[in-house]
Amino acid sequence: MYAFLTYPLDVIKTNRIVGSQLTREAGENLPRELVSVYERGTMQAGFYRGLAPIAFFVGARGVASQLGIRSPLESSSAGSAAWLQSHVAVAVATVAMNPLINLSTMKQIFRGTGSEPLSYSKLAAEAGMARVFTLGITAHLVRNALLWQTISLYDQTSFEPAQFLFGLGALLVSHPFEVARVLIVNGEKSGMFGSTSATLKTLYASEGIA
């Protein structure tokens, strides 16, 4: 439910990263951006554009949970073997999710003045079907590995200030790779994967840290 309620902010985040016309017109002013998103597409083509692929994954997880199928990430085991197993599971899940996340990202971006986004099939054809599976995968893997490592530390303590710092740290260390992933998905026109390091270097040279 939390992810559903905050999804419009993810739409705005994606448009800010790529510098879409929506962001340029609203001037990175959150209230104005929210109003503009709603005016352009109300709910389905506005606040919740690109939600379908993610909803599919969440639904699949819900069905698996009802069937009693547990993910390796839900294991309470400790030790180096469990640590390795959980990180391998994160990597496998990331690779499986990458095409869905990429389609969601492509759909979120407002192109031009029109409010109606392209269909998923047109977005996939425009990017190239194979590239839907591979674009941004390196940045996506690094981002999720960093998030998972920080979440693992978060679960090791019940001290709330420490949990807050771990949560904040997860965002700080993973966000640059999320930015790189979005920029690659939106801007890479020829390569199969896109270069995370080159994207971050170019971004730092042009924009700095924030």
Side-chain angles (χ1 to χ4, degrees):
M1 179 60 72
Y2 176 79
F4 180 77
L5 293 174
T6 59
Y7 186 81
L9 297 179
D10 193 61
V11 173
I12 290 173
K13 175 213 72 178
T14 298
N15 282 276
R16 281 191 180 190
I17 290 173
V18 302
S20 71
Q21 183 173 343
L22 171 80
T23 301
R24 293 194 301 271
E25 290 176 354
E28 293 195 4
N29 180 296
L30 183 58
R32 289 176 61 188
E33 286 170 303
L34 288 170
V35 171
S36 182
V37 168
Y38 184 79
E39 287 178 343
R40 287 174 179 240
T42 62
M43 302 299 284
Q44 183 177 349
F47 284 161
Y48 293 100
R49 61 194 288 136
L51 180 64
I54 297 175
F56 171 81
F57 176 73
V58 173
R61 284 187 59 188
V63 170
S65 178
Q66 290 296 319
L67 295 176
I69 302 173
R70 295 188 63 191
S71 163
L73 301 180
E74 299 173 319
S75 172
S76 59
S77 303
S80 58
W83 181 90
L84 179 60
Q85 181 187 42
S86 67
H87 278 73
V88 169
V90 167
V92 171
T94 299
V95 172
M97 276 290 292
N98 200 58
L100 299 179
I101 295 296
N102 283 351
L103 286 172
S104 178
T105 298
M106 294 171 189
K107 190 92 164 181
Q108 286 179 340
I109 298 169
F110 284 87
R111 307 180 182 206
T113 58
S115 61
E116 193 64 30
L118 296 176
S119 66
Y120 291 109
S121 59
K122 287 183 179 179
L123 288 169
E126 186 179 89
M129 185 58 70
R131 283 165 23 99
V132 169
F133 285 80
T134 59
L135 280 175
I137 186 64
T138 305
H140 200 183
L141 284 166
V142 175
R143 168 189 177 270
N144 285 356
L146 290 171
L147 278 174
W148 178 247
Q149 182 60 47
T150 311
I151 290 171
S152 299
L153 295 172
Y154 178 96
D155 290 338
Q156 298 302 312
T157 180
S158 58
F159 186 51
E160 291 186 357
Q163 290 182 331
F164 171 78
L165 290 175
F166 284 136
L168 179 62
L171 292 175
L172 290 176
V173 299
S174 66
H175 186 66
F177 296 96
E178 170 65 4
V179 173
R181 185 194 68 78
V182 172
L183 289 174
I184 289 170
V185 170
N186 181 63
E188 179 61 50
K189 303 303 181 185
S190 57
M192 286 295 293
F193 300 94
S195 173
T196 301
S197 59
T199 301
L200 289 174
K201 287 178 182 177
T202 301
L203 181 65
Y204 179 76
S206 62
E207 303 290 343
I209 295 293

